[in-house]
């Protein structure tokens, strides 16, 4: 077996790592390469506890709770002298379409730069950087160009980067989740990554299929129901599948008294015939994702199904901490698609691909 050691910053609960494990099974018949855990860093205790519990090979020494601004590449090299791949989904708050759009000047904008010292220290064969679709328009597109430029020049050899807007529902993920993912391949390898071609353009996987097939077992972990306020239940009874608090015909006493932006996900029921809308990790009343027929919010296990975490994956922490972990994660089945394409690129194995849908000056 040829090990491909992975390092992760902003690792979350392990969506990318579990996706890499899934890719190992997908490539078993064509390659003797296998992705293995090297080290992972995240800021939240419960998130790292989840990672350690579920990711093969992760321990207290290799999965670390730390602010990325306080841990160095030299520190991580003490855990594993080498890594072959580096993955990070740097926080997206300042690039999201919901928020103040501070972009690279915001508190979270510069966090992408903490990947550069990792590339400089380890010179991995490839990297994956993930962020929200809104990063394309931040600062009129200059933010993305700056990030691509900095990452392409990193390391001893530099990287050939392929940015692409992935619509995960086109790859069998039961959720409309759109993310910009940059895959970089070390220049001296003289290889270029191509985005894998969508597999589910003709038939999306619906949220109902994901949640009900197979049924969630009664003793499943992280499946506790939310206690719904009677007013919320009354409001949901007037909201049809696919509708939200603004598009539904609500009685006057159940309408929301909100001025300003009307976020479309507020008390929005799922449409059972379509993929779910984007699962988020935070938000106040009305943002918890609502069942298409039952007058309630989804359980965390149901949200995890929509994010393609297997039921055997157990989240640590309280209900809100788990909600955050699920919403911030990369869907494992989506990560599997990426890692499978990366190994095929590195080993010269052909696969169906599409051209990048993001124009780059690099």
């Amino acid at each position: 077996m040829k090990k491909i050691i992975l390092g992760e910053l902003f690792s979350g609960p392990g969506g990318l790592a579990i996706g890499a494990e899934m890719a190992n099974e997908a490539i078993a018949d064509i390659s003797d390469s296998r992705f293995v855990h090297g080290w992972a860093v995240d800021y939240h205790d419960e998130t790292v506890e989840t990672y350690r519990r579920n990711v093969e090979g992760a321990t207290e020494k290799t999965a670390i709770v730390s602010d990325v601004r306080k841990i160095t590449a030299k520190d991580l090299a003490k855990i594993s002298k080498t890594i072959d791949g580096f993955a990070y989904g740097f926080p997206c708050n300042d690039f999201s379409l919901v928020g103040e759009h501070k972009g690279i000047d915001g508190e979270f904008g510069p966090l992408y730069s903490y990947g550069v010292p990792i590339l400089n220290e380890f010179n991995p064969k490839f990297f994956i950087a993930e962020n929200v679709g809104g990063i394309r328009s931040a600062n009129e597109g200059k933010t993305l160009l700056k990030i691509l430029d900095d990452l392409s020049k990193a390391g001893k050899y530099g990287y050939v980067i392929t940015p692409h807007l992935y619509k995960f529902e086109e790859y069998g993920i039961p959720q409309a989740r759109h993310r910009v993912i940059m895959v970089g391949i070390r220049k001296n390898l003289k290889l270029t990554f191509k985005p894998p071609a969508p597999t589910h353009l003709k038939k999306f996987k619906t949220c109902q299929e994901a949640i009900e097939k197979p049924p969630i077992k009664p003793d499943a972990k992280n499946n506790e129901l939310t206690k719904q306020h009677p007013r919320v239940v009354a409001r949901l009874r007037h909201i049809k599948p696919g509708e939200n608090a603004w598009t539904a015909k609500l009685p006057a006493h159940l309408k929301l008294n909100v001025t300003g932006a009307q976020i479309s996900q507020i008390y929005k029921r799922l449409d059972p015939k379509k993929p779910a809308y984007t699962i988020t990790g935070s938000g106040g009343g009305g943002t918890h994702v609502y069942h298409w027929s039952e007058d309630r919010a989804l359980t965390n296990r149901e949200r995890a199904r929509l994010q393609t975490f297997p039921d055997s994956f157990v989240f640590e922490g309280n209900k809100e901490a788990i909600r955050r972990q699920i919403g911030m994660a990369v869907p494992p089945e989506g990560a599997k698609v990426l890692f499978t394409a990366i190994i095929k690129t590195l080993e010269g194995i052909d696969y169906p691909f599409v051209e990048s849908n993001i124009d780059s000056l690099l």
Side-chain angles (χ1 to χ4, degrees):
M1 181 182 77
K2 185 167 63 178
K3 293 182 178 179
I4 302 175
I5 302 171
L6 293 177
E8 295 183 75
L9 290 185
F10 312 106
S11 63
L16 282 165
I18 297 299
E21 292 179 11
M22 291 175 172
N24 285 340
E25 295 182 24
I27 63 175
D29 293 338
I30 59 172
S31 171
D32 63 351
S33 296
R34 297 293 180 271
F35 296 104
V36 297
H37 165 74
W39 46 258
V41 181
D42 198 89
Y43 185 69
H44 295 99
D45 292 276
E46 309 98 324
T47 304
V48 175
E49 287 177 21
T50 297
Y51 190 103
R52 291 172 185 159
R53 175 167 183 162
N54 294 278
V55 175
E56 185 176 350
T59 67
E60 290 188 6
K61 292 183 179 180
T62 64
I64 303 165
V65 181
S66 177
D67 186 324
V68 297
R69 294 167 287 197
K70 296 179 180 178
I71 193 167
T72 68
K74 297 290 185 185
D75 295 330
L76 296 168
K78 294 175 184 176
I79 300 172
S80 178
K81 292 182 180 179
T82 62
I83 57 171
D84 303 293
F86 170 55
Y88 74 136
F90 50 96
C92 60
N93 308 52
D94 291 322
F95 305 121
S96 177
L97 293 175
V98 178
E100 298 182 44
H101 306 293
K102 294 180 180 178
I104 211 160
D105 298 321
E107 177 184 358
F108 298 100
L111 291 181
Y112 82 89
S113 66
Y114 287 85
V116 174
I118 302 298
L119 298 175
N120 290 342
E121 174 71 24
F122 292 96
N123 294 289
K125 292 179 181 178
F126 71 89
F127 73 80
I128 298 173
E130 181 258 1
N131 209 270
V132 292
I135 196 173
R136 292 172 299 160
S137 57
N139 194 20
E140 299 177 334
K142 295 176 183 176
T143 292
L144 181 56
L145 286 176
K146 169 67 173 168
I147 292 172
L148 290 168
D149 187 51
D150 287 352
L151 293 177
S152 72
K153 295 174 180 175
K156 182 178 179 181
Y157 306 98
Y159 288 85
V160 178
I161 304 175
T162 305
H164 189 71
L165 178 68
Y166 291 83
K167 296 181 178 181
F168 279 120
E169 67 271 28
E170 295 180 352
Y171 295 87
I173 311 304
Q175 178 191 167
R177 193 177 189 87
H178 301 170
R179 292 292 184 267
V180 169
I181 297 176
M182 300 161 247
V183 175
I185 304 289
R186 210 170 63 200
K187 281 184 179 177
N188 69 322
L189 298 178
K190 301 187 184 306
L191 298 168
T192 300
F193 178 82
K194 296 288 189 180
T199 53
H200 286 67
L201 285 176
K202 294 183 179 179
K203 182 171 172 48
F204 295 149
K205 186 173 182 178
T206 70
C207 57
Q208 184 174 17
E209 286 179 82
I211 289 173
E212 293 187 348
K213 296 180 181 179
I216 296 172
K217 294 180 179 179
D219 60 347
K221 300 289 187 182
N222 313 127
N223 199 38
E224 300 83 6
L225 290 168
T226 299
K227 293 180 180 178
Q228 305 287 182
H229 191 280
R231 186 177 179 84
V232 171
V233 174
R235 183 176 291 125
L236 288 171
R237 286 175 179 163
H238 292 275
I239 300 175
K240 298 175 183 177
E243 290 185 341
N244 60 35
W246 317 114
T247 57
K249 295 179 180 179
L250 295 177
H253 70 285
L254 293 176
K255 289 183 178 180
L256 299 178
N257 184 21
V258 176
T259 57
Q262 295 184 350
I263 301 173
S264 65
Q265 293 189 0
I266 297 295
Y267 292 110
K268 185 173 182 178
R269 279 196 189 270
L270 295 172
D271 183 333
K273 297 180 181 179
K274 296 180 179 179
Y277 53 90
T278 306
I279 305 300
T280 57
S282 61
T287 62
H288 291 248
V289 187
Y290 295 85
H291 198 277
W292 56 89
S293 62
E294 299 177 23
D295 299 325
R296 62 173 180 85
L298 297 189
T299 67
N300 276 324
R301 179 51 56 193
E302 289 169 332
R303 292 189 193 95
R305 281 265 184 113
L306 297 175
Q307 278 279 62
T308 69
F309 281 96
D311 289 354
S312 58
F313 190 102
V314 179
F315 296 87
E316 300 285 354
N318 63 32
K319 190 179 287 187
E320 279 305 304
I322 292 170
R323 180 193 174 199
R324 182 190 70 242
Q325 292 172 48
I326 293 169
M328 298 299 284
V330 176
E333 289 283 358
K336 169 189 172 182
V337 171
L338 288 167
F339 280 113
T340 301
I342 286 171
I343 199 65
K344 288 181 178 179
T345 299
L346 294 175
E347 300 195 0
I349 300 170
D350 291 335
Y351 62 91
F353 65 85
V354 294
E355 295 299 328
S356 169
N357 55 19
I358 296 178
D359 291 330
S360 170
L361 300 181
L362 300 176

